[in-house]
């Protein structure tokens, strides 16, 4: 009250108790008013409880998002849809692709030749424009060291400040794909070996059930 009298109209934030005992957040617009020989304090009180709670919830959500964004081992990045310019990346992107944040922010993925096949980016953008979301799209990506990595990408089209942005999460599945290829190669070699030996070969599981019998 003293501040409002001495400094003129001001805005204050308080917590007021209702007659029911409930506590509410309020904003008070106060200022001195001269009437006759007296100075009165004129106040307008707005209940901002709902707004304050919404702001607090939004702040908590942003903190959770930032924590998930920063600590995820997957590559997470936000790019402009029109030209692929990087708006933000996380540490996972740096570890997988080798580029630091300072190197890529404000530049396009096309400048770094990150897409092993540019048609994959065209397919991504096309599906995002059509459906707004892409799930588990497999594509090749070129790291800073020139090595091609296989990524499993999920992305969503978001609009911020009237601009279309791509929010994407990409998991590095390079080792998994290499292991699958090696396993497939081993299986083919094994089948060729079995098919070309003179003796007959059986595969039997622990229950005595035949799982494979060679042609001979």
């Amino acid at each position: 009250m003293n501040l409002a009298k001495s400094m003129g109209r001001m805005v204050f934030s308080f917590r007021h108790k209702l007659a029911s005992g409930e506590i509410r957040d309020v904003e008070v617009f106060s200022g001195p008013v001269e009437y006759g020989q007296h100075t009165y304090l004129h106040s307008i009180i707005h209940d901002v409880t709902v707004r304050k709670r919404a702001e607090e919830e939004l702040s908590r959500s942003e903190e959770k998002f930032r924590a998930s964004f920063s600590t995820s081992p997957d590559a997470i990045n936000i790019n402009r849809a029109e030209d692929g310019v990087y708006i933000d990346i996380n540490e996972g992107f740096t570890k997988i692709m080798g580029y630091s944040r300072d190197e890529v922010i404000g530049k396009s993925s096309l400048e770094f030749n990150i897409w092993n096949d540019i048609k994959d980016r065209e397919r991504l953008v096309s599906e995002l424009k059509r459906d707004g979301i892409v799930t588990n799209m497999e594509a090749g990506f070129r790291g800073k060291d020139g090595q091609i990595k296989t990524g499993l990408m999920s992305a969503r089209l978001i609009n911020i400040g009237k601009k279309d942005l791509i929010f994407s999460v990409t998991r590095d599945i390079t080792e998994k794909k290499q292991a699958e290829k090696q396993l497939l190669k081993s299986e083919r070699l094994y089948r060729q070996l079995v098919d070309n030996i003179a003796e007959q070969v059986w595969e039997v599981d622990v229950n005595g059930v035949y799982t494979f019998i060679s042609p001979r």
Side-chain angles (χ1 to χ4, degrees):
M1 293 175 67
N2 288 331
L3 283 172
K5 288 180 180 178
S6 62
M7 300 181 66
R9 180 177 295 276
M10 295 184 66
V11 181
F12 303 91
S13 295
F14 296 113
R15 305 198 80 190
H16 280 186
K17 183 184 293 185
L18 305 187
S20 63
E22 181 183 358
I23 304 298
R24 306 290 289 184
D25 291 296
V26 298
E27 280 185 351
V28 181
F29 296 80
S30 290
V33 175
E34 301 293 335
Y35 185 75
Q37 301 298 318
H38 301 282
T39 300
Y40 296 90
L41 184 64
H42 177 262
S43 298
I44 300 174
I45 301 174
H46 293 285
D47 187 337
V48 295
T49 306
V50 174
R51 191 192 76 193
K52 290 280 289 185
R53 289 175 181 172
E55 290 172 350
E56 290 170 359
E57 185 61 33
L58 178 60
S59 178
R60 285 193 292 269
S61 296
E62 289 177 346
E63 289 175 2
K64 290 178 182 178
F65 169 77
R66 179 52 59 180
S68 300
F69 184 90
S70 301
T71 60
S72 173
D74 296 329
I76 303 178
N77 42 284
I78 302 174
N79 301 71
R80 282 206 308 245
E82 59 181 324
D83 53 15
V85 167
Y86 287 97
I87 304 300
D88 202 358
I89 64 168
N90 72 335
E91 292 182 11
F93 179 94
T94 297
K95 290 178 180 178
I96 293 172
M97 301 303 297
Y99 292 101
S100 69
R101 191 175 189 280
D102 290 339
E103 286 179 292
V104 301
I105 297 302
K107 297 180 181 178
S108 169
S109 59
L110 303 177
E111 293 181 55
F112 294 98
N113 200 26
I114 281 178
W115 293 87
N116 186 47
D117 186 347
I118 194 61
K119 291 181 180 179
D120 287 329
R121 184 184 186 277
E122 293 172 357
R123 177 162 59 97
L124 172 71
V125 174
S126 176
E127 292 184 16
L128 284 172
K129 287 182 177 179
R130 186 188 67 210
D131 303 323
I133 187 171
V134 171
T135 304
N136 295 334
M137 187 188 89
E138 191 173 306
F141 300 93
R142 184 176 291 100
K144 186 177 181 179
D145 58 5
Q147 293 186 12
I148 305 301
K149 301 177 182 291
T150 303
L152 194 64
M153 171 185 278
S154 292
R156 180 181 294 275
L157 196 64
I158 59 177
N159 187 278
I160 298 178
K162 296 183 179 181
K163 290 186 178 181
D164 287 332
L165 305 177
I166 299 174
F167 177 85
S168 63
V169 180
T170 304
R171 177 157 297 177
D172 185 358
I173 59 170
T174 306
E175 293 184 0
K176 177 176 179 290
K177 294 295 290 185
Q178 291 174 345
E180 289 175 352
K181 289 180 180 179
Q182 190 61 40
L183 178 60
L184 182 60
K185 181 179 179 181
S186 298
E187 289 178 345
R188 286 174 178 171
L189 290 174
Y190 172 70
R191 294 300 177 188
Q192 290 175 2
L193 175 64
V194 170
D195 291 344
N196 287 283
I197 61 176
E199 292 80 6
Q200 191 170 44
V201 178
W202 299 272
E203 286 183 0
V204 184
D205 65 17
V206 293
N207 297 314
V209 177
Y210 289 102
T211 58
F212 173 76
I213 301 177
S214 67
R216 299 182 186 280

